[in-house]
Amino acid sequence: MEAIKNSSILVNNYIGGKWVPSSNNETINRENPANIDEIVSISPNSTVEDANNAVEAAHEAFKSWSKISPINRAKYLYRFAEILEAQKDEVAELLTKEQGKPLNESLGEINKTINEVRYTAGEGSRLTGETLPSERDNVNIRTIRIPKGVIAAISPWNFPLVTPLRKIAPALVAGNTVVFKPASLTVAMGAKIVELFEQAGLPAGVLNLIIGSGSQVGNQIVNHTKVKGITFTGSTGVGSNIYEQASKRLVQVQLEMGGKNAAIIYDYDDIEGAIDQIVPAAFAAAGQRCTSISRIIVKEKDIDQVVSALKKKTESYVIGDGLEKETTFGPLVSKDQLETTQKYVQIGQEEGATLITGGNVSFQKNKGYFFEPTIFTNVKPSTRIAREEIFGPVLVVMTATSFNEALDICNDTEYGLAASCFTQNKSYQDLFVSQVNSGMIHINNGTISESHVPFGGLKHSAIGSYSIGSTAKDFFTDLKVVYDATP
């Protein structure tokens, strides 16, 4: 990457260890979502030819990279983490300028990335198999893990640092090479990731960056015959399309997709304490998180107390440019996200829900995609705002007359990523854990994931092995079973 006029960053593809423009020399501008007059980056609008070159470079590098010991491959990840930690202030500023989230959230994402990369590097010494007894005398049986080959890593814009590293780091330590396609809205952070690996001395071709549209370069790497695994995070619609394409080649996928996550509050004395955890879980990154809490289900008699506490905490947010110290709530990432959020607010009002707070574009910041954090009550479980993923700062509140009804409402969605339950009733806690249809379950806390723990979901929220933690290697390696009858 290099800075050019007006502090914009010129981004190129990174193929076979070289920074190169697209073969057609076409470029795309990316604006600062907090100040649309400022261009953050100028990046290539790459072609099918560029995508093929990236895959070929990764395929060639795999021949030597896969032969290196996993423990020695891990050393590059440790170096990456050290370099990122040394440059965290610079990286955080870029993340905020390009994505929009407040600076403290960007720093939090960086710290999480460092922790996850270091944990994943340690997996280099834990890529173990099994030794199994045989039914026959003089036969020894064991299993071994081997790398797949070239991995296509397609990442979203909401967490443009930590999410790509959840794909790149385990792929590399397992011995795979990577073709990385970041979201078009956050290509500068994608290039920064590659730049840091370059500084760590990663061999040429092991990690390749290709920038462009999903319809062009995304589909090409998904369908390329030399790509042996596809890991994707994004919307359920796009993930479903990737799954369909990959199935035709019988290629394994790891898909992390949408969510419509609920928090139940039922027989819980500290309602304000619950709200203190739910509100940040709902509105961090302006609600643009797959694990955001977007539904609250509460016991009927507690509705007034819950709504009052929600309104008070939500209205304490300070909306503004994420680089400003006082800002606690940044812009949405793009005009499309802003318009989608506006559309759903209108739908909620048309469906008869009561708008408690928010619901408006923040006109005091008229050069960015600012929208107020928004709360609806009197929401019916069957309505669109209660069922569809908005991916914006909209939180709905519903009531239930029993815990079983609350659990039914919680499960009444096509998604199954995360869910929270605030209750002091041990029977309700046990029922929630056993009956809720979500991959990540939180009792008396918000939907915060940790850096060494598997991350994934059920139903239309995920397909394939969970990322992070001990389960990541189940996607990034293949298993061989060895029967050895050597005398």
Side-chain angles (χ1 to χ4, degrees):
M1 296 192 303
E2 59 180 291
I4 55 176
K5 60 182 180 179
N6 300 324
S7 300
S8 298
I9 297 168
L10 178 63
V11 176
N12 279 315
N13 293 321
Y14 188 76
I15 299 175
K18 295 179 180 178
W19 295 97
V20 293
S22 61
S23 55
N24 60 11
N25 289 312
E26 292 183 5
T27 58
I28 301 171
N29 292 352
R30 166 58 175 159
E31 74 277 16
N32 180 343
N35 178 8
I36 60 175
D37 291 338
E38 177 187 358
I39 300 301
V40 176
S41 67
I42 300 171
S43 62
N45 185 19
S46 300
T47 66
V48 166
E49 178 187 350
D50 300 322
N52 289 338
N53 290 340
V55 174
E56 292 294 342
H59 178 70
E60 185 63 29
F62 176 74
K63 297 172 185 177
S64 55
W65 179 251
S66 59
K67 292 180 172 63
I68 297 172
S69 161
I71 292 173
N72 288 328
R73 292 193 294 254
K75 292 175 182 177
Y76 293 98
L77 300 185
Y78 285 121
R79 286 181 206 145
F80 172 91
E82 289 171 7
I83 295 166
L84 176 58
E85 192 162 37
Q87 298 181 27
K88 69 164 57 176
D89 290 337
E90 171 195 334
V91 175
E93 183 174 339
L94 173 61
L95 203 164
T96 291
K97 284 180 69 174
E98 186 175 45
Q99 199 278 338
K101 64 182 64 175
L103 196 59
N104 70 312
E105 290 188 27
S106 293
L107 287 166
E109 182 174 345
I110 291 169
N111 290 332
K112 192 170 185 64
T113 302
I114 292 167
N115 290 339
E116 291 189 13
V117 169
R118 285 178 173 156
Y119 174 87
T120 302
E123 287 288 82
S125 60
R126 295 187 289 267
L127 289 175
T128 57
E130 290 183 290
T131 300
L132 302 167
S134 173
E135 297 170 351
R136 295 166 290 166
D137 294 336
N138 302 318
V139 174
N140 298 309
I141 306 172
R142 69 185 190 274
T143 64
I144 58 175
R145 292 184 179 273
I146 61 167
K148 277 183 162 61
V150 178
I151 299 293
I154 305 172
S155 67
W157 44 258
N158 58 337
F159 286 91
L161 178 64
V162 72
T163 304
L165 266 299
R166 288 178 180 175
K167 306 174 183 305
I168 294 167
L172 296 186
V173 80
N176 304 289
T177 54
V178 176
V179 176
F180 167 38
K181 193 197 99 60
S184 298
L185 293 173
T186 51
V187 294
M189 185 52 60
K192 175 58 72 173
I193 290 169
V194 174
E195 185 180 278
L196 295 178
F197 270 112
E198 188 179 41
Q199 292 173 23
L202 192 69
V206 173
L207 175 60
N208 302 273
L209 174 71
I210 183 74
I211 296 168
S213 70
S215 59
Q216 278 281 93
V217 299
N219 284 341
Q220 185 60 20
I221 61 175
V222 164
N223 288 293
H224 200 291
T225 56
K226 289 179 179 175
V227 169
K228 303 303 181 184
I230 302 154
T231 172
F232 164 83
T233 300
S235 71
T236 297
V238 175
S240 177
N241 181 259
I242 289 173
Y243 194 21
E244 181 180 2
Q245 292 180 66
S247 69
K248 294 174 183 176
R249 293 201 296 119
L250 300 179
V251 172
Q252 288 185 331
V253 296
Q254 180 191 58
L255 307 178
E256 294 176 355
M257 300 175 288
K260 190 68 175 177
N261 312 297
I264 295 174
I265 305 175
Y266 215 94
D267 288 355
Y268 193 69
D269 291 342
D270 186 12
I271 285 178
E272 289 201 5
I275 297 305
D276 284 344
Q277 295 199 58
I278 290 171
V279 168
F283 296 127
Q288 300 167 123
R289 299 162 62 239
C290 59
T291 55
S292 289
I293 291 175
S294 55
R295 300 181 293 152
I296 298 177
I297 306 153
V298 60
K299 194 172 187 177
E300 271 192 344
K301 77 175 187 64
D302 294 326
I303 182 66
D304 290 341
Q305 187 180 354
V306 167
V307 169
S308 176
L310 275 173
K311 188 173 187 294
K312 180 181 178 182
K313 189 162 183 69
T314 300
E315 291 178 351
S316 70
Y317 277 110
V318 177
I319 301 173
D321 188 329
L323 293 177
E324 296 172 358
K325 270 187 179 178
E326 65 273 15
T327 295
T328 56
F329 192 92
L332 292 167
V333 75
S334 67
K335 184 179 180 183
D336 284 348
Q337 290 301 119
L338 180 67
E339 290 177 347
T340 296
T341 303
Q342 288 178 290
K343 179 191 78 172
Y344 273 103
V345 168
Q346 182 179 347
I347 288 169
Q349 292 172 317
E350 290 170 352
E351 289 176 330
T354 301
L355 183 64
I356 296 299
T357 188
N360 300 300
V361 172
S362 183
F363 288 108
Q364 72 212 44
K365 307 286 185 181
N366 58 7
K367 285 197 171 183
Y369 305 124
F370 296 98
F371 197 89
E372 297 169 341
T374 300
I375 297 172
F376 280 104
T377 190
N378 293 325
V379 176
K380 296 178 181 178
S382 60
T383 57
R384 290 182 65 185
I385 60 168
R387 299 181 65 82
E388 297 177 11
E389 185 180 36
I390 300 171
F391 222 65
V394 179
L395 178 62
V396 304
V397 186
M398 296 173 280
T399 59
T401 57
S402 69
F403 186 80
N404 282 334
E405 183 187 7
L407 190 55
D408 287 342
I409 294 170
C410 181
N411 283 334
D412 188 19
T413 171
E414 66 182 292
Y415 302 106
L417 188 59
S420 289
C421 180
F422 292 83
T423 182
Q424 287 153 277
N425 185 312
K426 185 64 170 62
S427 296
Y428 291 165
Q429 292 175 9
D430 293 343
L431 187 62
F432 185 74
V433 169
S434 66
Q435 297 299 316
V436 72
N437 294 325
S438 294
M440 294 178 288
I441 301 168
H442 302 261
I443 303 296
N444 298 334
N445 63 88
T447 52
I448 297 173
S449 61
E450 297 195 12
S451 304
H452 61 295
V453 179
F455 182 102
L458 307 177
K459 299 196 286 188
H460 288 186
S461 288
I463 292 290
S465 303
Y466 282 18
S467 65
I468 324 179
S470 60
T471 53
K473 61 180 176 286
D474 295 332
F475 173 74
F476 290 102
T477 62
D478 287 331
L479 198 67
K480 283 187 174 180
V481 181
V482 181
Y483 292 82
D484 186 351
T486 304

